[in-house]
């Protein structure tokens, strides 16, 4: 951590800051430049709020050099973490597809969807039983009944299950039916929930918050990582920007960036990332090419009559066509990565 | 609700959409323009997802005309709601100040702050006992001990209490000590929590989410409103934008906008809205002039040694000076509103 | 265009609006719903400002149905426009690379870069001679000298040239040396400049503004299209959002979206889109997979000593490796598009 | 300027960077911490691109400490600059209003508006003769005819004139008719135009770009400041964010922030800042209370029939009422500033 004093800071102001640094048990390196004094803090600054020093007289700004997400960081864990979902691997170089409806609407609907998902090559079935909705008057999900249908349909077609847990009190319930616990975008910084799901040992699918920075996302993963034994799967699902032609702005650069900064795998969600079904296949392809470890995608046997998110769901035909495209591109990506190391300049 | 068909939509596509509208129990008005067919849905469309129709072939777009937040809307409740916090009124034309530290750090610190708050003219004491923090390694609050100190300090100086409840399981606990339950920005769309606090009957201080739209905020208030007896106090605290010179972008236009759309009062939080202590007084003044019903502001007896948010906290001297400025401007505002009706064009 | 009256609008207010519609030569269709009156405007509304009607008493909102960019729209020009840059085709299904330094720094530097570009497979040489810079004290470009070097280097290695024109008064000058005229992000809505370059007949590389919406971008292209004979090449280069881990947020969804809405080709700029050199190759690959018609990329023989944008420039080795990856993915994309039609649901 | 090396940077990498720093004529201070080496650059770094160093192997990041806008900065010019517009002062502690229509539509319209403006207390008449419009098919202004009408109307009622110059080639023309030259939001970074208007000696009204950061805005002012004798008047007019309930997000915090960082005055534009006429008066009041030096506001004798921006224009009655409110609040502000120094903590 570095503290930059203002150009007009007095000796006394500098001394006050130095004393405070020593008070909290750190050493300090003092650099007197022509215009400003710059203080370097030595020691473990992970628990020190850099911003707190900004309230001191004479301090211009502070800069945090060391990140605060040790267990999530690739720095201390250089090898990729491969998440094993009861035999299905995520992060091992393959491209894993999770597919299913936005909402579980009934047993027949989810069975039909599971069959389509499986035939297209998905390994994991998605589907919402508890639905967070902007309006209190909108459909809120089938709850436990939905979880049962989801598990039954997945088992029938040899798929694993991912579904969202919205509430600390539902963790045990959801964990009985689901192989991966998903944390939705609205809960990316629900820290109690993060700590609690981290204790289940199940893999956690951590969606990026609608306005979550990369740094906040990595710190949210750290709440899972410190709390227990659960590995994290990052899910890029688009961020909120001024652009309204798409539902969100799908930030695909997050894929190589997270891979650089963390050892946990990252998958993409082109359905929420774009919000428009005919943009889903090209963005799914782009996800493969950017190096994602998989995707989660919304499909429905009859999108026009879906109870939610029909406008961004693929039907059987378009899903199967997309999965074929994914396969062709994935083969090309395998060829690239088998021949070469990760691109390094120098 | 209005559905606009594409210019090349076929008769069959139009019929499919009309049939679906009738299926869900609504009437439809068909308008055939030169280029497009436009369908108007008649009946109660509050529970109909307009976006669902976008998945139909031949549909260009859909437009929701009626809002979905009936109980929060001024349309159905034209008079201002005045919130009565055990005798302290919010929304009655006065300007109510809530002041206190970011975190309760101990009994002496909160007593000292309560005294400063009271002497400056605040009616309500703020202070965090449960702190949501981006990093799991940062200070997370004194929890119940903090609540006790907060209540004791407030009682000693004749103040009411506002503090954040982050978790459904803590509602009873927090409600024992606090007069107003605050929902933090990260929980604006934690719908289970909103429904639960709405059943306490206590006033709910609802912070705007860091990327919450006005429409989402009004819908979040609706979760409180439909769930029970609690009135809502909106708290504008800044939104996330590209600008990094301030901690957030303080969206003061929300004040007259919320007043136009809802009957519940709105207060401002210039501390989080700007994140820099010397921008707090001018933005507090601006809040008065924009017509806010009050403010919530961070103060600390010794900001340089605060455990959190010191950089945006006022000390005794600057807080008292700001409160004097507020008073002068508030008197001017009273003069304006006593002479005139709300500005109306026409 | 549709005008939605407020639920409490009076008969007189409705009549006033209808009269105004007729005054400007349009017909109107009146739809009286249970809650609101909705007016549909019939006739050519391209020149009518929908927003103007919002100032009328009793009007709730207005909705524009027809877009305002007729010549740019795919609706009136369903076939792809293939841009022919003196023999190099853009938009014909191939993937065309434009590569070169941010700034032309001297003859040797640009010759060396041109050779690297050519060997990697680029067809077009980029390089800045006039540089728009945030600070007036930063290097502003070699101007005409730079243009000469750029042309000479391109000719020596059989490449075409793209470079930015920042100023109406420089169009003739730049057009003497460059095959494509680039409009920079800051000038996306410099309407005089757009109109003027449109009269040259040269292809216009139109960068998206840093906060340009898709709709504004299409309208900017229309300024070029109506002004003369120049075709447009859209260049997605990232937008400004709250995320600061990358220089911009690279909005790859713009690729399929622009292809859906316009007949002009679109290429991607992963250098500015990410701002970090090691994110450039994965995002270039993603661009291929998303269906872009090409890319523009910054390369430099010695990025560490580049006069500008060194941090986002590839050196010879990383550029060549990326170009190999691009080629493998492009072959895969050819296979996909030869077997299948564009994904269509239904 | 500070360069932070990665924790694993080699000795050789550190030496390469140090050599480069010395090459460009600067001294360097080397700080070896436990985890990282931090380099401080000594000397005039105003012309050094900090970002360039990020392309070096082993460099983690760079931090610029000294700003790049010397002439605009308050640091080197502590006293407020008072702009004198032919006798009308801006920045002297008064609150100056500029009012007028979006577009000059004809002589009668601008004369009528000038009379209203004057009677309400405005000192300066605004009005657009050259209109930048998103669509090429929209009304583009009366051009020189409009300038003549504007001047004539202003002179008749004893007002000064502000109008936009969009094009370097029009500077002489516009300067013949206007007392202040306005640079529109789209041209905030049109650096050639900024340099050129700076040479006229006329005050420059510099609108903030729709996505312009505070830092970019200050640098844009520097282009004016270094180019000649013109003083700058900053105009805050809202920025583009995700919120669509208002036309822009009016960033009022910019007022105290710019006053802290620069000696030039700043005024507010609540018409563009909100885009909705009934939000204009409360936001104008908020501008006074935040400490702005004045405002620019759109008024029209008949907003419902305005050729542009009618939805955000005030009519005679609402404008006069707002001006009364402004006056009351301004008197209160005078009282505050006469009694007290600027709020300073400590």
């Amino acid at each position: 951590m570095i503290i930059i004093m203002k150009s007009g800071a007095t000796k006394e102001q500098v001394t006050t800051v130095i004393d405070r640094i020593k008070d909290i048990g750190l050493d300090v390196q003092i650099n007197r430049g022509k215009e400003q004094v710059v203080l370097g803090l030595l020691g473990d600054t992970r628990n020190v709020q850099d911003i707190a020093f900004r309230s001191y007289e004479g301090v211009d700004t502070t800069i945090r050099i060391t990140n605060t997400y040790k267990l999530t960081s690739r720095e201390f864990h250089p090898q990729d973490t491969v998440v094993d979902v009861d035999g299905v691997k995520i992060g091992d170089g393959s491209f894993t597809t999770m597919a299913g409806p936005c909402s579980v609407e009934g047993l027949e609907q989810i069975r039909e969807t599971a069959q389509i998902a499986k035939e297209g090559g998905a390994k994991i079935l998605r589907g919402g039983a508890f639905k967070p909705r902007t309006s209190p008057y909108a459909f809120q999900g089938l709850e436990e009944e939905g979880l049962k249908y989801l598990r039954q349909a997945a088992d029938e077609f040899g798929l694993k299950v991912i579904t969202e847990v919205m509430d600390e009190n539902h963790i045990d319930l959801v964990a009985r039916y689901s192989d991966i616990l998903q944390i939705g975008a609205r809960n990316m910084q629900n820290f109690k929930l993060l700590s609690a799901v981290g204790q289940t040992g199940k893999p956690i699918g951590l969606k990026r918050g609608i306005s979550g920075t990369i740094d906040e996302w990595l710190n949210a993963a750290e709440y899972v990582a410190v709390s227990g034994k659960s590995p994290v799967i990052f899910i890029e699902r688009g961020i909120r920007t001024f652009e309204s032609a798409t539902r969100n702005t799908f930030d695909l650069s997050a894929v190589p960036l997270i891979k650089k900064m963390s050892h946990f795998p990252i998958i993409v969600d082109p359905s929420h990332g774009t919000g428009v079904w005919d943009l889903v296949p090209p963005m799914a392809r782009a996800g493969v090419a950017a190096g994602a470890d998989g995707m989660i995608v919304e499909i429905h046997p009859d999108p026009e009559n879906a109870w939610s998110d029909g406008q961004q769901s693929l039907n059987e035909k378009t899903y199967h066509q997309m999965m074929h495209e994914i396969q062709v591109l994935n083969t090309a990506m395998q060829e690239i990565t088998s021949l070469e190391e990760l691109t390094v300049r120098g």
Side-chain angles (χ1 to χ4, degrees), chain A:
Chain A
M1 207 172 98
I2 288 173
I3 298 174
I4 299 164
M5 304 300 297
K6 286 183 183 160
S7 55
T10 63
K11 260 194 181 178
E12 199 180 25
Q13 289 170 343
V14 175
T15 306
T16 303
V17 173
I18 290 171
D19 289 350
R20 174 76 178 150
I21 294 170
K22 290 181 177 167
D23 276 1
I24 57 177
L26 297 170
D27 267 343
V28 62
Q29 192 176 37
I30 307 163
N31 316 301
R32 303 190 186 277
K34 274 185 197 160
E35 296 191 22
Q36 279 133 316
V37 175
V38 175
L39 305 172
L41 278 63
L42 308 177
D44 184 0
T45 60
R46 210 168 294 274
N47 301 327
V48 181
Q49 288 186 76
D50 65 307
I51 209 173
F53 282 96
R54 295 190 197 167
S55 65
Y56 280 70
E57 293 289 318
V59 169
D60 186 26
T61 192
T62 62
I63 298 138
R64 177 171 287 287
I65 298 172
T66 316
N67 65 50
T68 53
Y69 43 92
K70 195 163 188 171
L71 302 176
T72 301
S73 170
R74 191 177 278 280
E75 197 178 343
F76 298 97
H77 189 305
Q79 314 90 320
D80 287 343
T81 288
V82 178
V83 177
D84 187 330
V85 186
D86 200 11
V88 173
K89 302 278 175 57
I90 299 170
D92 66 344
S94 61
F95 188 87
T96 305
T97 297
M98 313 178 180
C102 176
S103 299
V104 179
E105 298 168 11
L107 182 57
E108 273 323 292
Q109 172 249 20
I110 190 67
R111 284 188 62 241
E112 197 178 342
T113 312
Q115 181 167 9
I116 294 168
K118 177 72 176 187
E119 288 171 1
K123 297 279 177 60
I124 298 172
L125 183 64
R126 63 151 288 158
F130 296 92
K131 301 300 302 172
R133 303 302 293 272
T134 298
S135 163
Y137 306 108
F139 169 63
Q140 313 266 331
L142 291 184
E143 309 202 345
E144 185 167 2
E145 196 188 349
L147 292 174
K148 281 183 189 163
Y149 295 158
L150 186 64
R151 183 79 256 174
Q152 183 178 335
D155 287 346
E156 182 176 345
F157 294 97
L159 297 165
K160 307 301 165 200
V161 167
I162 180 173
T163 197
E164 179 171 353
V165 56
M166 285 169 58
D167 188 327
E168 211 184 324
N169 301 326
H170 289 160
I171 294 175
D172 287 347
L173 175 66
V174 176
R176 271 204 296 284
Y177 295 100
S178 188
D179 302 300
I180 304 175
L181 302 182
Q182 181 183 308
I183 300 295
R186 289 184 186 81
N187 282 320
M188 187 194 87
Q189 293 197 310
N190 184 334
F191 301 122
K192 290 268 296 176
L193 183 60
L194 293 171
S195 297
V197 294
Q199 284 154 3
T200 63
K202 297 233 175 189
I204 306 304
L206 180 60
K207 287 210 165 184
R208 183 174 180 184
I210 202 168
S211 67
T213 63
I214 296 289
D215 190 69
E216 288 170 344
W217 200 12
L218 290 161
N219 273 289
E222 191 77 0
Y223 269 93
V224 175
V226 298
S227 296
K229 295 282 191 277
S230 290
V232 171
I233 303 161
F234 290 100
I235 307 176
E236 164 61 34
R237 47 77 73 211
I239 56 175
R240 179 162 280 178
T241 71
F242 63 82
E243 179 59 70
S244 59
T246 43
R247 182 173 177 178
N248 292 294
T249 296
F250 194 34
D251 182 14
L252 259 188
S253 301
V255 172
L257 198 53
I258 287 287
K259 287 210 152 295
K260 189 163 74 171
M261 302 177 87
S262 176
H263 54 93
F264 288 126
I266 177 167
I267 68 170
V268 294
D269 176 351
S271 306
H272 288 87
T274 64
V276 190
W277 75 265
D278 59 2
L279 301 180
V280 172
M283 287 301 102
R285 296 193 311 253
V288 174
D293 297 299
M295 71 169 157
I296 182 162
V297 65
E298 288 188 350
I299 64 174
H300 196 284
D302 182 11
E304 300 190 358
N305 292 302
W307 294 5
S308 56
D309 278 357
Q311 79 289 350
Q312 69 189 31
S313 298
L314 299 177
N315 65 12
E316 178 170 1
K317 180 183 151 198
T318 49
Y319 164 65
H320 285 170
Q321 181 166 337
M322 176 185 72
M323 290 300 280
H324 170 67
E325 296 171 7
I326 292 304
Q327 198 186 350
V328 173
L329 280 174
N330 198 33
T331 304
M333 282 295 288
Q334 300 291 341
E335 181 186 338
I336 288 168
T337 51
S338 69
L339 289 175
E340 303 173 14
E341 287 298 305
L342 192 71
T343 305
V344 179
R345 188 171 82 177

